[in-house]
Every structure is written in structure tokens, then in C-alpha cells.
Amino acid sequence: MKERRKRLQIPKTILFFGILFLFLPVINYLGIAYKLNHSFTNLRSILNEVTGFEIILMAIPPLIGIQLLRVKKTGWWLFLIYAIVLITYNFYSLIKNKDFYNLNSLFQTILFFGAIFYFLRRDISAPYIKLYPRGWRGELRNPVQIQVRVNSVDRLTKDISEAGFYLDWKDVPLEINEEVTVEIETESGKTLLSAGVVRKDENGAGFAFRRLAEDDNRWIQKLIQLNS
């Protein structure tokens, strides 16, 4: 039976923020209505009390949410820009009008402060900003270049982890799930490993190691450390 590397689905935290952004205009609208002591159904009077900039801040989040859930680079960048703008605006409004800083604004500021640090993590941002498509993985890939020989073809890894590696290899003549022999030569000698093709794209291919023994795992860990 062929082994395949497990790929994590979209993280629950990103799923939370994506859905939150879809509903954020409604949340903010209700918050503004409550602050102004207006009826929630009196849309015109509420919108007359807010600036054009505030309306833009209310309208943009669904677009960001959709892009985040679709794992688009524009969604990642829009999220960071929006979070920074929102935090800056909330602090500015607090200085200008101390009554502005209601519970909703305070909660969003704290939430987005934490979200910025979360989205800047390499393992979270990678699927959004990598030049080649990828998903979230259980093992963090290290951007390490190591010479490997795959079925007698020499290539440099673009990144590698204990689970697998990615090669720049345009028009790779291999099929998904095809098993290959991986030869890695170090000062201590040559090591032969088995791997399978788990992904192909226009830039290259991703491989997952198969049937690794415990000694093989330790050897790969040491190899990554020495080349990091």
C-alpha cells in the first residue's frame, strides 16, 4: 500500500478569521447603532452619522474573508493592511474622542493585534506568499538547498522537512503517487531513501518520504541541522 504525506486542512484559526470577516460589517453596524443609540433598523440615520472612511472599513472585510478562505496572496496582504489601519484608526479615535473606545472597538483592537503576529508566522503565511502552491503541513519545511539524486537525476531541494522535500523541476517526468529512489551523498557516504510524488505544479514537484526507519528520521534531522 502506498504511503502519502498527510496535508493539514486550512487551520481553524484562519477559518475563524475568514468567517469573522464575512460577518464583520454586520457586527460593526450593530456596534455603531448601539453606540449612537439608534434603532438597528434605521439604516439611513446610522449611515448619516458615520464618515465615508468608516463605511469603507465596514465594507471591505467580506472581500478579505473570501480571499483568506481561498488562500489567495491578496487576502493575506489585505488582512495585514486592514488590521494595521483598523488598529491605528481605533487609537486615533480614542485620542480624539475618549467616549469612542467602546467594548467592540477594544475587543477588535486586541484581537487584531494578536492576529497580526499569528499571520506573520512562517508556517501560517507560507501558503499565501510562496511562489509555488502549497498547503499547511504538520512538519515545518526548512528553506534548505541539498543536492539530491532522484531516479539518477540530480536536483537541488528548495525546502525540506522530516516528511519530504520540494524540487525546482519544470516539466518533471513523474506522475502523482509514483515512487522514486532518492540518493543523498554526504561526507559520511551515500544514503538511499524511498519517496513518492505528492504534488506537481508549474515550477516543480513535492515528494514525501516513504517507509522511513527510525535511523533514517534521525539522519534527516541531522542533515537539516547541518545545512540550516
Side-chain angles (χ1 to χ4, degrees):
M1 182 176 179
K2 295 184 176 180
E3 301 174 36
R4 295 197 64 180
R5 176 167 52 92
K6 292 182 179 179
R7 181 72 57 86
L8 298 182
Q9 300 298 318
I10 184 169
K12 291 181 180 178
T13 304
I14 292 182
L15 190 62
F16 166 76
F17 277 106
I19 295 174
L20 173 65
F21 268 75
L22 294 179
F23 290 96
L24 200 56
V26 176
I27 296 172
N28 286 333
Y29 172 79
L30 296 177
I32 292 173
Y34 178 80
K35 184 183 70 173
L36 297 175
N37 199 26
H38 287 345
S39 170
F40 301 145
T41 59
N42 198 346
L43 176 63
R44 178 172 296 180
S45 64
I46 293 173
L47 293 181
N48 285 337
E49 296 287 341
V50 298
T51 66
F53 182 70
E54 289 172 334
I55 292 176
I56 292 175
L57 284 179
M58 290 174 59
I60 289 178
L63 171 62
I64 300 175
I66 292 172
Q67 294 293 81
L68 282 178
L69 295 175
R70 295 181 62 202
V71 197
K72 297 295 184 180
K73 182 185 295 186
T74 51
W76 188 81
W77 283 108
L78 282 174
F79 172 82
L80 290 182
I81 294 170
Y82 180 86
I84 293 170
V85 170
L86 182 66
I87 291 170
T88 303
Y89 174 74
N90 282 349
F91 275 117
Y92 167 78
S93 299
L94 172 63
I95 295 172
K96 185 178 178 181
N97 179 10
K98 289 184 169 53
D99 293 334
F100 169 83
Y101 220 74
N102 55 38
L103 185 61
N104 180 49
S105 299
L106 176 62
F107 172 74
Q108 287 192 25
T109 300
I110 295 173
L111 181 66
F112 282 103
F113 253 127
I116 287 175
F117 290 105
Y118 176 79
F119 273 81
L120 287 176
R121 285 169 46 185
R122 186 172 65 176
D123 56 324
I124 295 301
S125 63
Y128 290 101
I129 62 178
K130 286 291 186 183
L131 295 178
Y132 52 90
R134 55 153 285 183
W136 289 272
R137 301 182 177 90
E139 296 81 13
L140 180 63
R141 287 283 179 87
N142 297 274
V144 175
Q145 287 192 325
I146 296 173
Q147 185 79 31
V148 299
R149 177 169 292 177
V150 177
N151 287 357
S152 301
V153 179
D154 291 326
R155 285 288 186 274
L156 278 175
T157 62
K158 194 177 186 74
D159 57 44
I160 189 169
S161 76
E162 296 169 39
F165 56 92
Y166 181 91
L167 296 180
D168 278 329
W169 193 348
K170 291 186 181 296
D171 301 319
V172 55
L174 301 169
E175 299 300 324
I176 297 295
N177 286 332
E178 183 173 344
E179 185 161 319
V180 297
T181 299
V182 181
E183 180 181 317
I184 304 176
E185 185 172 3
T186 62
E187 294 180 355
S188 59
K190 296 180 181 179
T191 298
L192 291 177
L193 303 169
S194 294
V197 183
V198 292
R199 178 167 59 87
K200 291 172 60 175
D201 55 55
E202 60 183 9
N203 297 299
F207 297 80
F209 292 121
R210 290 177 174 173
R211 300 183 297 278
L212 290 180
E214 196 63 38
D215 289 342
D216 293 330
N217 280 316
R218 286 195 290 268
W219 185 85
I220 294 171
Q221 290 174 8
K222 186 176 180 180
L223 180 69
I224 294 172
Q225 291 173 358
L226 291 175
N227 289 275
S228 297

